[in-house]
């Protein structure tokens, strides 16, 4: 066992050490070699070191260099080494984090992390939280609590009686809501399409003055951090308008919620704490390994009402927090440990620096591209840059060449009807030199085609 785990660690360490020197995107040859995995189910197994070697020899080169400093696609963090290390150790524990009585270490660590997150985001002290797979499920979990509360206020127990015959819930979403938020609404029986869209401005931000009048049970979904522009809905202003209406205000802050962790960028989320629930990712801007989202809910009892179960065989009676009371899953890994490691390592100031560095890098990208004569479509207020290089065909061709060059990786998007390239800076290890090197390549390729 020891040799095997050391072999895995050595291979992982080599992968991380070499990430800076390889092409960010895997080569076509490396992808072609993946055919080796398409074998029939073997009748007999093999030695563990043999399969590990195969995984590394064929899998590693064909992986996307997402953990490297010049991956700017989607909104993806790169897992700080300390969080990979804590992840390895907690994988060795392999705790099934449901009940405090069974997994006290993981349960207590999560409880502590919850307190730290409340402090970082400056949220109400009695919030409840679920440590889930990502922001999609964080949105789902928080909205399940919202559904529970607005229907309970209308005299309906949705957990017991379902939605058939329930009072109708109006759901308001911003015109630029993330598709996973709509998917969460669909999974909750609230429908992806029966939402009322709120008007947004040029940066995709909801216009507070145009939020419709509230009648009956209502859930209002806002966004902190638009995945293209990085823009923010005016959360505080909307909460003020809705005060006394009984509407539940939810904030999808997959990455943008982390602006609250920085004294410099906190101004982007005035009134954040006035909302009722918040969803975010740790695997994006906090740079912990994938599979780490967090649902935070002001009215913890409603999250618990939506998620908690009892069974004769489950030792749920305890004075402590049972993690599975707040998540859709009963069985899951100890993902709160990764969040603990990140926060314990960085401290409050380190988290702020991480956020600010990424935003400054995005600003540098924006300025460099504008100086080179290209049109940046968004106000670069956070870590996102949206740039066009002419018509859709030219822009897509340039993006394709940038990806194939391998120095950096940026993806495409359509922003307010225009095909564009999106740069998202989320990685803890990105330096000014990485930005300059990437800018050189982007500008050279773009100029060759325009
Ligand atoms: C605003 C927003 N909400 C939700 C999500 C979904 O997050 P996840 O992929 O972690 O489920 C994303 C992903 O980029 C996002 O940007």
């Amino acid at each position: 066992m020891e040799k095997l785990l050391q072999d895995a660690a050595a291979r992982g360490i080599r992968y991380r050490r070499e990430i800076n020197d390889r092409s960010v995107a895997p080569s076509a040859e490396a992808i072609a070699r993946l055919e080796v995995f398409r074998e029939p189910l073997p009748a007999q197994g093999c030695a563990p070191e043999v399969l590990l070697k195969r995984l590394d020899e064929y899998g590693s080169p064909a992986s996307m260099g997402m953990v490297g400093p010049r991956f700017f696609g989607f909104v993806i963090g790169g897992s700080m080494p300390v969080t990979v290390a804590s992840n390895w150790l907690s994988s060795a524990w392999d705790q099934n984090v449901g009940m405090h009585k069974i997994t006290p270490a993981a349960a207590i660590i999560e409880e502590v992390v919850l307190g730290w997150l409340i402090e970082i985001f400056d949220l109400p002290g009695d919030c409840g939280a679920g440590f889930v797979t990502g922001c999609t499920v964080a949105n789902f979990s928080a909205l399940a609590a919202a559904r529970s509360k607005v229907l309970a206020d209308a005299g309906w127990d949705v957990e017991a009686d379902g939605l058939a015959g329930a009072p109708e819930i109006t759901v308001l979403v911003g015109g630029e809501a993330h598709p996973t938020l709509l998917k969460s609404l669909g999974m909750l029986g609230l429908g992806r399409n029966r939402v009322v869209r709120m008007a947004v401005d040029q940066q995709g931000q909801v216009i507070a003055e145009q939020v419709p009048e509230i009648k009956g049970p209502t859930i209002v979904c806002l966004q902190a951090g638009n995945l293209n522009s990085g823009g923010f809905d005016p959360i505080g202003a909307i909460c003020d308008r809705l005060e006394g209406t009984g509407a539940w205000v939810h904030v999808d802050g997959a990455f943008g919620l982390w602006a609250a962790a920085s004294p410099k960028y906190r101004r982007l989320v005035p009134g954040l704490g006035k909302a009722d629930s918040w969803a975010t990712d740790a695997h994006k801007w906090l740079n912990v390994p994938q599979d780490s989202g967090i649902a935070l809910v002001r009215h913890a009892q409603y999250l618990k009402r939506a998620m908690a179960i009892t069974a004769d065989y489950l030792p749920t009676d305890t004075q402590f927090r049972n993690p599975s009371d707040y998540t859709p899953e009963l069985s899951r890994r100890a993902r709160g440990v990764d969040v603990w490691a990140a926060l314990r390592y960085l401290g409050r100031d380190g988290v702020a620096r991480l956020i600010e560095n990424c935003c400054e890098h995005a600003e540098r990208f924006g300025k460099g591209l504008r100086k080179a004569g290209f049109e940046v479509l968004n106000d670069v207020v956070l870590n996102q840059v949206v740039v066009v290089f002419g018509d859709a065909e030219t822009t897509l061709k340039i993006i394709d060449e940038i990806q194939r060059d391998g120095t950096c990786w940026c993806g495409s998007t359509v922003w307010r009807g225009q095909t564009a390239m999106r740069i998202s800076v989320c990685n803890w290890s990105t330096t000014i030199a990485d930005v300059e090197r990437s800018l050189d390549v982007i500008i050279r390729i773009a100029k060759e085609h325009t």
Side-chain angles (χ1 to χ4, degrees):
M1 174 195 69
E2 226 171 290
K3 218 167 139 231
L4 177 68
L5 294 186
Q6 272 164 2
D7 185 19
R11 290 178 188 279
I13 292 164
R14 192 178 331 115
Y15 181 83
R16 298 293 289 232
R17 202 187 289 131
E18 290 173 357
I19 201 70
N20 215 351
D21 304 321
R22 56 162 272 191
S23 161
V24 179
S27 67
E29 296 76 45
I31 295 170
R33 292 173 75 225
L34 287 172
E35 287 305 310
V36 75
F37 289 109
R38 291 192 204 280
E39 55 178 344
L41 173 66
Q44 267 91 47
C46 71
E49 56 276 14
V50 172
L51 71 86
L52 203 63
K53 185 163 179 282
R54 172 165 292 200
L55 201 56
D56 192 23
E57 277 184 9
Y58 293 92
S60 296
S63 66
M64 176 64 81
M66 282 180 173
V67 295
R70 292 182 304 282
F71 181 84
F72 304 115
F74 313 103
V75 191
I76 290 181
S79 64
M80 292 178 291
V82 67
T83 65
V84 177
S86 68
N87 185 281
W88 284 355
L89 181 57
S90 69
S91 288
W93 296 348
D94 193 21
Q95 300 290 281
N96 182 326
V97 186
M99 265 125 277
H100 173 272
K101 268 196 178 159
I102 310 301
T103 54
I108 293 294
I109 288 169
E110 268 194 18
E111 202 178 306
V112 171
V113 168
L114 167 57
W116 289 356
L117 290 168
I118 287 172
E119 199 178 324
I120 282 189
F121 297 134
D122 197 15
L123 300 180
D126 53 355
C127 276
F131 292 84
V132 295
T133 49
C135 199
T136 303
V137 180
N139 278 327
F140 170 83
S141 304
L143 290 168
R147 186 183 67 164
S148 183
K149 165 85 161 60
V150 298
L151 285 180
D153 288 351
W156 189 267
D157 181 347
V158 71
E159 279 74 33
D161 301 322
L163 277 179
E168 199 167 319
I169 302 177
T170 303
V171 181
L172 304 181
V173 305
E176 281 282 337
H178 196 270
T180 59
L181 182 105
L182 301 172
K183 174 171 151 180
S184 300
L185 290 167
M187 290 192 289
L188 287 161
L190 298 173
R192 294 188 190 199
N193 294 342
R194 64 176 282 286
V195 295
V196 179
R197 293 277 187 172
M198 294 180 282
V200 293
D201 64 16
Q202 291 294 316
Q203 299 300 316
Q205 304 162 145
V206 170
I207 302 165
E209 297 71 30
Q210 294 184 27
V211 172
E213 202 185 319
I214 302 296
K215 289 194 207 91
T218 303
I219 300 171
V220 180
C221 301
L222 302 179
Q223 188 166 252
N226 176 288
L227 98 154
N228 285 308
S229 71
F232 288 75
D233 294 340
I235 298 159
I238 293 174
C239 288
D240 288 345
R241 273 175 76 89
L242 300 179
E243 205 182 332
T245 62
W248 177 294
V249 179
H250 170 68
V251 179
D252 174 358
F255 59 98
L257 207 65
W258 293 95
S262 150
K264 187 169 167 197
Y265 291 93
R266 202 175 158 79
R267 62 182 161 73
L268 295 170
V269 286
L272 181 70
K274 293 179 181 176
D276 298 287
S277 58
W278 307 262
T280 193
D281 266 320
H283 62 212
K284 288 189 170 61
W285 222 345
L286 192 60
N287 282 258
V288 308
Q290 296 303 316
D291 192 355
S292 188
I294 306 152
L296 293 141
V297 176
R298 173 195 297 278
H299 319 276
Q301 73 271 29
Y302 288 98
L303 181 57
K304 195 168 175 181
R305 189 168 145 152
M307 300 297 165
I309 53 158
T310 56
D312 290 338
Y313 79 102
L314 294 174
T316 46
D317 59 313
T318 170
Q319 73 205 79
F320 297 104
R321 175 183 181 275
N322 278 325
S324 67
D325 281 354
Y326 302 92
T327 52
E329 313 96 331
L330 177 60
S331 301
R332 65 174 172 88
R333 72 179 187 88
R335 52 176 75 97
V337 171
D338 301 344
V339 183
W340 173 85
L343 297 181
R344 187 69 187 81
Y345 168 69
L346 291 171
R348 196 195 297 111
D349 294 350
V351 178
R353 246 187 335 269
L354 168 64
I355 303 308
E356 287 161 17
N357 284 345
C358 293
C359 294
E360 280 159 22
H361 293 327
E363 214 177 301
R364 184 175 285 269
F365 266 121
K367 278 190 186 140
L369 289 164
R370 280 195 176 115
K371 197 164 154 219
F374 299 109
E375 190 186 359
V376 173
L377 297 180
N378 65 319
D379 295 341
V380 183
V381 291
L382 199 68
N383 62 332
Q384 307 288 114
V385 183
V386 184
V387 59
V388 280
F389 303 113
D391 61 20
E393 198 187 335
T394 309
T395 298
L396 290 174
K397 192 161 184 218
I398 289 168
I399 295 170
D400 185 53
E401 282 210 21
I402 291 167
Q403 291 176 356
R404 278 196 286 120
D405 169 86
T407 304
C408 64
W409 201 98
C410 309
S412 65
T413 190
V414 177
W415 172 240
R416 302 191 77 73
Q418 258 184 293
T419 298
M421 186 175 88
R422 213 166 62 99
I423 300 171
S424 176
V425 191
C426 295
N427 191 294
W428 64 278
S429 66
T430 304
T431 62
I432 293 176
D434 288 310
V435 175
E436 293 296 346
R437 195 171 147 194
S438 304
L439 265 175
D440 284 351
V441 168
I442 294 169
I443 292 169
R444 176 179 53 76
I445 293 175
K447 286 203 165 155
E448 278 166 16
H449 291 85
T450 50

